[in-house]
Amino acid sequence: MSKKRKISLSEEELVSALRNREKIAVEALYDMYSASLFGVISRIIADIPVAEDVLQETFVKIWNSFSGYSAEKGRLFTWMVNIARNLAIDKIRSKDFKNQAKNHELENNVTFIDEQRNTVYKPELLGIRDLVSTLKPEQKSILDLVYFKGYTHVEAAEELGVPLGTIKTRLRMAILQLRKHFN
């Protein structure tokens, strides 16, 4: 079994290959800069799988927006680091990332409490499932996915083939309807 030899080009050769959209440019770009760019990204995003996704997005953005690079304005590496850094910051500022982090923290806390108290979540004991069954079918299906099956709003939207905004609206209306039973 032979190891694949890493490709290394001078900065001028790499810039030329990127401008001409040559396949070797992508390989060289990855071989030469992936570790450094991943280092920048992982200092901002601690979650390794998310950081790896941002690294991939970085290479795609470098490839797609290379016409915006100007050697007169700075070195190629500096330009790429800025792209990686900006994408990482955009990711941690995104609602999806924040919600994912909050949900993850909540799940860890709930699991910890359950383990400490040896409890199990059984909504049927609270009568919640009975109350949910009184909702409109489209509200019931969303509540079922989000609260009982652990789907995110985005996942529920994909599963049901409904726009995300519609999911959030129906979910809010369902919660308001359920609140009436507790007042």
Side-chain angles (χ1 to χ4, degrees):
M1 203 159 117
S2 65
K3 274 189 168 179
K4 183 181 175 240
R5 198 170 67 98
K6 289 193 172 203
I7 298 172
S8 182
L9 302 174
S10 70
E11 187 168 317
E12 295 79 25
E13 291 171 326
L14 182 57
V15 168
S16 174
L18 284 166
R19 287 209 192 286
N20 295 328
R21 303 190 66 78
E22 296 172 20
K23 182 181 180 238
I24 194 169
V26 176
E27 294 173 19
L29 193 65
Y30 186 84
D31 288 347
M32 294 168 61
Y33 296 106
S34 62
S36 298
L37 294 175
F38 186 73
V40 169
I41 294 166
S42 62
R43 283 192 182 103
I44 297 168
I45 301 173
D47 187 343
I48 298 301
V50 175
E52 289 170 344
D53 288 345
V54 172
L55 178 64
Q56 181 178 350
E57 290 172 29
T58 299
F59 282 114
V60 169
K61 185 158 187 175
I62 289 168
W63 180 258
N64 288 334
S65 63
F66 192 74
S67 60
Y69 169 70
S70 171
E72 294 81 39
K73 291 182 181 178
R75 295 194 44 158
L76 177 63
F77 182 69
T78 306
W79 182 74
M80 293 188 304
V81 165
N82 283 328
I83 289 174
R85 183 180 163 279
N86 291 341
L87 286 173
I89 290 170
D90 289 348
K91 181 56 119 180
I92 62 171
R93 287 180 179 167
S94 72
K95 280 185 178 180
D96 187 42
F97 183 83
K98 287 178 182 177
N99 286 340
Q100 179 184 11
K102 286 178 186 173
N103 288 342
H104 190 67
E105 287 173 22
L106 182 62
E107 288 169 18
N108 289 342
N109 290 335
V110 168
T111 302
F112 176 76
I113 291 167
D114 284 350
E115 289 169 356
Q116 295 300 310
R117 294 190 176 175
N118 198 18
T119 59
V120 179
Y121 173 63
K122 294 184 178 176
E124 57 278 358
L125 297 179
L126 298 173
I128 301 292
R129 286 212 189 257
D130 293 335
L131 290 175
V132 169
S133 67
T134 66
L135 296 172
K136 294 178 184 175
E138 63 270 12
Q139 292 173 332
K140 182 184 177 306
S141 62
I142 294 168
L143 268 178
D144 189 49
L145 291 175
V146 173
Y147 288 102
F148 298 122
K149 293 183 180 174
Y151 281 49
T152 65
H153 294 171
V154 172
E155 291 169 338
E158 290 171 359
E159 177 75 20
L160 298 172
V162 176
L164 181 59
T166 303
I167 292 289
K168 291 181 178 188
T169 300
R170 288 179 182 170
L171 193 56
R172 174 135 175 78
M173 297 308 292
I175 290 169
L176 290 174
Q177 189 66 33
L178 289 174
R179 274 191 189 155
K180 292 177 182 175
H181 295 282
F182 294 100
N183 288 335

